Amino acid sequence: MLSEIPSCLQSLPLSSPNMNGISSIALPLEETGLFSSIFIDFIEQRQWLDHFQLPKPDLQGLLQVAQDAEWEKFDRKLLLNTLTAQYRELEESGTVISEAVKDNLEALSSPDSRTITTGQQLHPATGPLYVVFKILSTLNLCKQLNAVQQQHRFIPVFWLASEDHDLQEVRELQVAGKTYTWLTEQSGPTGRISCKGLPEMLEQLKTDLGARPGIDKLLADVFNAYKSEYTLSLATRKLIHEWFGKAGLLMIDPDAAALKRSFIPVMQRDITRQEAPQAAKRLEEELSTHGSLPLSIRSVNLFYLGEQFRLRIDTIPGGFRTPDERFNWTPEQLSAEIEAFPQRFSPNVVLRPLYQQSILPNVAYIGGPAEVVYWLQLRGVFQLHDIPFPVLLPRAHAVLVDNNLYEKFRRMGFAGKDWLEKPDELIARWMNARGITTEVFDQARKQTTLEMDALTGFMEATDKTLGDAGRAEKVRMLQAIDKLEEKWKKSQKRSEDQSVQVIRKVRDRIFPNGTLQERHDNILGFIGSGDLQHPMDLLEHMDPLKKSLNLICY
């Protein structure tokens, strides 16, 4: 059994559990030490950011931006036609479109509607936890905004990064301590590749997870989505709609010819004037004095797109070409092809945010820490193209630990941000709190050093050749004390094995393989092992306005 709580350690109580037995502890992001200085400065709204002229990342800032007349200029007919076609594809695959989604599609036609958007690459089964956290943050914020006012309808949107071509980033799935790898040799935009090979990977996952409350339904949703004949874009939309469609989440795949046609003016200006680096330079210089920047802004920010390739377009003397030299253009040829076939071109990480903001009446973008910083880098590029810049909000951050395990951790006297410390530091604190200290060894080393230094001095005074022998003997004696201390520590750790295991288990849950849980583990590994039976159970803990890292006990 675990020992009683040492009197010198105080426990911080959890928040009251909600109806499904899930509770949380909120820790300010600034206190975690896990995030970049620029990101922390942004969420704390440091004064040096004032001249970026950014909309405030709070409820008042959101409502103020929503009033902007710029939103009346959007081509809602184009947007609705595209979404209607994409949802028709979902229906034809057997998905039943939720009433909440139908209502939001209809509401989107009104000039009074606004969107709150997040987005991500196409990870099988939604990938790391933070993808689910992004979606829930978006749903949570829309719920808040629609509750405090009636003038605008705020609609949650998930933007599929379907044109991204880095399959290596999305082919692995981490669930319950195991890695599952999608074995495929396909290439090109990930949204266009087939799900061939994924059902086999998921079969192994299903076997390993076994029977747990809630997991069977979620796994059925996964298998129904990721069929070999579906594209990864369709499969992703099917699963996300099944899990979050009842909350009204809309999804958009930007790999659509009609949407690309609307973006022609920006693409043409990008290749002809090549102004992006200079437009971003002034604010980038300011940002770089406060931390490292994630983006290197290129003079041309487009890819050339095909069924099995997405190739960067580089400038060369007299024209443009792809790195493999398969495609070459004069300036006139490239401009003509963009005009005639805009669907063959894909915005890179610099133009993608502008593409999004030119399509959607989007008040806010909810992203991760690196995304927030690179959007800041692009402030000058938005101004160059006169495209509305959204309110930037960090997604909710959280780690999940089952109630039973964390209760043991609390009973040992740990609380607050203790779970962020390294295991050995926590173990040392635990031992010290119980009177298990290394002080006696420290005293032995100090006493040995004093006595051997005195003895060596006496010997050297009578015979200088004996000094080295005295110093060598002191080193040997100190090393002997070190060895005895290590043996003693191991003995104490064995005697406190159960407590030590709890410390290491909590730490390993929160930092699997040394990585923060939300960037590593998939939601399926947590379903059914406590009170968490569906991703939506976490909704009320996913408030992007709170700027905290939540330890969620389920």
Side-chain angles (χ1 to χ4, degrees):
M1 294 180 62
L2 291 171
S3 304
E4 294 298 316
I5 300 174
S7 60
C8 61
L9 292 177
Q10 298 297 318
S11 178
L12 181 70
L14 293 168
S15 65
S16 299
N18 59 18
M19 292 296 291
N20 56 18
I22 299 173
S23 54
S24 64
I25 297 172
L27 182 65
L29 293 177
E30 187 173 16
E31 295 181 13
T32 66
L34 296 172
F35 303 97
S36 73
S37 57
I38 294 178
F39 176 70
I40 294 299
D41 284 354
F42 171 76
I43 64 173
E44 296 298 328
Q45 289 293 283
R46 307 285 193 228
Q47 189 173 359
W48 67 267
L49 284 161
D50 287 351
H51 65 272
F52 278 63
Q53 298 179 321
L54 298 167
K56 297 296 183 183
D58 55 28
L59 205 59
Q60 183 178 354
L62 288 160
L63 295 176
Q64 185 175 344
V65 172
Q67 298 289 348
D68 199 318
E70 289 288 330
W71 308 119
E72 309 297 333
K73 301 176 183 178
F74 280 77
D75 191 340
R76 292 174 184 267
K77 184 178 180 181
L78 169 65
L79 176 59
L80 280 169
N81 286 343
T82 302
L83 288 173
T84 299
Q86 292 183 1
Y87 275 96
R88 187 182 303 118
E89 182 187 18
L90 268 185
E91 285 188 303
E92 291 171 352
S93 73
T95 295
V96 177
I97 306 304
S98 73
E99 290 303 314
V101 163
K102 290 178 182 178
D103 288 346
N104 276 343
L105 284 170
E106 183 177 353
L108 200 55
S109 63
S110 167
D112 292 329
S113 65
R114 305 287 186 265
T115 60
I116 305 292
T117 302
T118 193
Q120 187 59 36
Q121 296 162 284
L122 309 189
H123 299 267
T126 70
L129 280 166
Y130 69 75
V131 181
V132 168
F133 294 171
K134 279 182 165 185
I135 292 171
L136 293 174
S137 298
T138 306
L139 295 173
N140 183 300
L141 183 60
C142 286
K143 185 178 179 181
Q144 290 188 64
L145 289 166
N146 288 326
V148 298
Q149 54 79 55
Q150 287 76 46
Q151 182 178 357
H152 301 292
R153 172 79 164 264
F154 287 89
I155 299 170
V157 174
F158 184 81
W159 176 283
L160 282 77
S162 58
E163 295 180 344
D164 190 277
H165 61 284
D166 193 347
L167 187 59
Q168 295 301 319
E169 288 189 10
V170 302
R171 66 186 302 186
E172 288 190 349
L173 189 64
Q174 311 286 342
V175 184
K178 292 186 178 181
T179 300
Y180 300 86
T181 303
W182 178 15
L183 301 177
T184 180
E185 298 299 323
Q186 298 178 81
S187 61
T190 53
R192 299 183 183 184
I193 66 176
S194 79
C195 292
K196 185 177 180 180
L198 266 177
E200 290 78 6
M201 182 192 85
L202 294 171
E203 281 290 352
Q204 184 59 55
L205 170 63
K206 180 179 180 181
T207 300
D208 293 343
L209 285 177
R212 293 187 306 192
I215 197 66
D216 289 345
K217 173 61 170 67
L218 295 182
L219 282 175
D221 296 337
V222 171
F223 275 92
N224 186 53
Y226 293 94
K227 294 182 178 179
S228 296
E229 63 268 27
Y230 293 158
T231 64
L232 190 56
S233 170
L234 176 59
T236 302
R237 285 180 281 138
K238 285 178 71 68
L239 181 64
I240 290 178
H241 180 271
E242 197 62 42
W243 286 1
F244 305 105
K246 289 181 180 179
L249 180 70
L250 300 187
M251 300 167 292
I252 184 168
D253 183 343
D255 187 7
L259 297 180
K260 292 285 182 68
R261 183 160 295 283
S262 72
F263 200 56
I264 285 176
V266 174
M267 293 193 288
Q268 292 282 25
R269 182 167 181 169
D270 187 68
I271 66 162
T272 57
R273 301 191 186 182
Q274 301 180 24
E275 304 161 298
Q278 192 61 35
K281 185 177 180 180
R282 180 179 63 84
L283 295 180
E284 273 191 325
E285 288 176 348
E286 173 71 11
L287 281 170
S288 65
T289 64
H290 296 273
S292 60
L293 304 182
L295 291 186
S296 177
I297 298 179
R298 297 169 48 79
S299 56
V300 173
N301 296 284
L302 295 172
F303 286 90
Y304 194 54
L305 203 60
E307 288 302 318
Q308 297 183 10
F309 63 83
R310 184 177 184 244
L311 302 171
R312 188 182 71 238
I313 297 175
D314 294 328
T315 57
I316 58 173
F320 306 88
R321 73 180 178 200
T322 56
D324 61 2
E325 302 185 15
R326 288 166 61 188
F327 302 98
N328 296 268
W329 302 267
T330 65
E332 295 76 18
Q333 289 171 333
L334 185 58
S335 178
E337 188 164 354
I338 289 174
E339 198 68 36
F341 305 102
Q343 67 272 24
R344 295 180 183 175
F345 298 87
S346 172
N348 72 355
V349 68
V350 172
L351 289 187
R352 188 208 61 77
L354 280 76
Y355 183 34
Q356 171 191 300
Q357 290 298 118
S358 69
I359 291 170
L360 298 169
N362 197 53
V363 169
Y365 181 76
I366 295 177
E371 286 179 289
V372 167
V373 176
Y374 82 63
W375 275 73
L376 291 177
Q377 275 189 259
L378 301 178
R379 182 68 171 117
V381 184
F382 272 86
Q383 292 170 331
L384 174 71
H385 291 280
D386 194 27
I387 292 175
F389 196 80
V391 178
L392 293 181
L393 287 169
R395 62 171 172 82
H397 295 266
V399 292
L400 308 178
V401 179
D402 67 83
N403 275 315
N404 290 336
L405 178 61
Y406 195 70
E407 181 59 25
K408 292 177 183 178
F409 191 68
R410 289 180 65 233
R411 280 164 47 201
M412 292 172 66
F414 294 115
K417 60 180 179 181
D418 292 337
W419 44 273
L420 291 173
E421 294 186 27
K422 295 179 180 179
D424 288 343
E425 294 172 355
L426 290 173
I427 292 168
R429 281 179 55 193
W430 167 247
M431 288 181 166
N432 289 340
R434 298 190 67 238
I436 307 171
T437 71
T438 59
E439 185 177 348
V440 66
F441 293 96
D442 294 335
Q443 289 295 330
R445 276 187 285 267
K446 183 177 180 181
Q447 191 65 30
T448 298
T449 298
L450 288 172
E451 291 180 356
M452 288 304 298
D453 284 348
L455 181 58
T456 300
F458 168 76
M459 293 166 63
E460 272 192 313
T462 56
D463 186 343
K464 290 185 178 181
T465 63
L466 296 177
D468 289 342
R471 282 185 285 272
E473 185 63 21
K474 181 181 78 170
V475 170
R476 186 191 66 77
M477 293 172 70
L478 291 174
Q479 289 174 341
I481 294 171
D482 290 344
K483 289 178 181 179
L484 289 171
E485 181 182 22
E486 286 304 310
K487 288 182 178 181
W488 177 83
K489 283 181 178 179
K490 289 178 181 179
S491 172
Q492 293 302 310
K493 285 183 180 181
R494 283 194 298 271
S495 69
E496 296 291 336
D497 188 55
Q498 187 178 7
S499 299
V500 169
Q501 283 184 8
V502 169
I503 291 171
R504 293 197 182 280
K505 200 168 184 179
V506 168
R507 176 70 188 193
D508 289 345
R509 290 278 180 88
I510 294 171
F511 290 94
N513 294 335
T515 301
L516 188 61
Q517 181 195 84
E518 62 178 15
R519 302 171 190 164
H520 185 272
D521 289 350
N522 178 267
I523 187 67
L524 291 171
F526 301 90
I527 299 295
S529 58
D531 292 317
L532 179 61
Q533 297 193 18
H534 193 280
M536 285 294 293
D537 292 343
L538 299 171
L539 179 62
E540 72 176 69
H541 301 279
M542 295 289 143
D543 185 350
L545 297 176
K546 288 193 172 177
K547 302 182 292 187
S548 62
L549 174 61
N550 290 328
L551 180 94
I552 298 176
C553 299
Y554 61 94

